[in-house]
Amino acid sequence: MRILIVASYNKGRFAPFITEQAEALSKNGAEIDYFGVVGKGLAGYLKNIRSLKQKIEDFQPDIVHAHYGLSGLLANLQRKVPVVTTYHGSDINDSKVLRLSKIAMRLSAWNIFVSKKNVEMSGLTGKYSLLPCGIDTDNFAVKEMAEARKELGWKMDGQYVLFAGAFDNAVKNAALAQAAVALLPGVDLVEMKGFSRQQVASLFYAADVFLMTSKSEGSPQVVKEALYCGCPIVSVDVGDVAEVTEGILNCYIAKPVAEDLSQKLRIVLASPLRTQGRTVILAKGMDNKTVATKLLDIYNLICKH
């Protein structure tokens, strides 16, 4: 089966969770090619239609799989090849973008949502699957905290809170995280920015706790990756974090206020326990191998029709 991936290429690369999912599909026998969208907003995306049609003509895919609503809308401007569109959160949580995503939903042969909240916000009642992106488990080989801290140059006896993104990303709400950690003397807040994929794995093993204070999310990959590495989670109730961490010891959902977040962080920092997240992630099928199998089932169903 030939799958054309359509997604933003404005940063000069595709998002890692997109390429990792595509690689998992490739390992399952699919032939993958990419079309990178360069342009901002609806007008910027629409400028890509001619080159996308040419790419489809050249590659002759069985399915076009678009990531995010605007890519889905663009991909559906051709009607030769059926389109599957995955919505990752920002295309649903923003009311202006949601209007465009809803057009993509109507036109797409199938729609995929990464969280229940996004399904509810979309208002869609059929022609969809709830399927969070899986994580590439090969990236996260087991590592001891001491080994990871030595690699990163961290103090062995320090206490480190890993922040879920870059401080300058407004959606991640760094100010709230900084206010919460400021209430914990001697604790360092580490910005997840400028690290390679290999270093990110070390961060999860080295940190005492992973903190998410985002204003909106879909199904954040970093939470699943942190859990897979046994890192405890403290998060506001955003995206599907509460569902993913439900029943996992040493993980807490907090109110979006500094005092409650710091209280939950204090509980985790006082505990020597890691989490059983690796077992849970695999049991729930949140790995890329399982997700790829489910995607191929969706593709095959569409092709039969």
Side-chain angles (χ1 to χ4, degrees), residues 208-229:
D208 293 283
V209 56
F210 181 85
L211 176 62
M212 174 163 280
T213 53
S214 302
K215 297 174 183 176
S216 67
E217 292 282 353
S219 177
Q221 289 295 96
V222 284
V223 168
K224 288 171 276 189
E225 292 171 347
L227 282 174
Y228 190 77
C229 296

Side-chain angles (χ1 to χ4, degrees), residues 77-248:
L77 293 180
Q78 61 78 37
R79 306 305 291 166
K80 181 180 177 181
V81 181
V83 176
V84 173
T85 304
T86 296
Y87 307 88
H88 292 276
S90 58
D91 43 9
I92 302 295
N93 297 324
D94 185 314
S95 59
K96 292 180 181 178
V97 182
L98 176 58
R99 288 197 290 269
L100 298 173
S101 293
K102 284 188 173 183
I103 299 173
M105 290 172 208
R106 288 196 293 271
L107 294 173
S108 294
W110 201 258
N111 299 283
I112 296 173
F113 297 92
V114 298
S115 75
K116 290 180 181 177
K117 287 182 179 178
N118 285 163
V119 173
E120 293 166 0
M121 291 177 69
S122 75
L124 201 64
T125 57
K127 205 173 62 171
Y128 77 87
S129 296
L130 174 60
L131 185 61
C133 287
I135 65 168
D136 186 350
T137 56
D138 293 339
N139 287 336
F140 303 102
V142 176
K143 190 176 294 186
E144 294 297 323
M145 179 182 282
E147 179 188 355
R149 288 193 171 189
K150 184 177 180 180
E151 287 179 9
L152 295 167
W154 291 9
K155 298 176 184 176
M156 291 298 168
D157 60 350
Q159 289 190 307
Y160 296 92
V161 175
L162 181 60
F163 179 64
F167 289 158
D168 59 4
N169 185 338
V171 175
K172 301 299 181 182
N173 200 4
L176 177 56
Q178 290 162 338
V181 174
L183 298 172
L184 303 169
V187 176
D188 291 310
L189 180 65
V190 179
E191 177 185 22
M192 190 184 287
K193 180 181 181 180
F195 294 98
S196 68
R197 292 294 283 159
Q198 291 73 27
Q199 288 173 319
V200 166
S202 294
L203 289 173
F204 292 136
Y205 285 112
D208 293 283
V209 56
F210 181 85
L211 176 62
M212 174 163 280
T213 53
S214 302
K215 297 174 183 176
S216 67
E217 292 282 353
S219 177
Q221 289 295 96
V222 284
V223 168
K224 288 171 276 189
E225 292 171 347
L227 282 174
Y228 190 77
C229 296
C231 189
I233 307 291
V234 172
S235 176
V236 297
D237 189 4
V238 66
D240 67 350
V241 181
E243 299 163 42
V244 171
T245 60
E246 185 179 9
I248 301 180

Side-chain angles (χ1 to χ4, degrees), residues 228-289:
Y228 190 77
C229 296
C231 189
I233 307 291
V234 172
S235 176
V236 297
D237 189 4
V238 66
D240 67 350
V241 181
E243 299 163 42
V244 171
T245 60
E246 185 179 9
I248 301 180
L249 294 176
N250 228 21
C251 292
Y252 296 91
I253 300 299
K255 298 174 184 175
V257 292
E259 292 76 15
D260 195 42
L261 284 161
S262 66
Q263 180 185 6
K264 301 297 192 303
L265 288 169
R266 192 175 287 111
I267 294 170
V268 175
L269 290 168
S271 170
L273 296 175
R274 299 295 277 177
T275 76
Q276 74 277 33
R278 181 177 294 254
T279 301
V280 173
I281 291 295
L282 293 175
K284 290 185 175 181
M286 294 182 185
D287 60 288
N288 260 339
K289 293 176 184 176

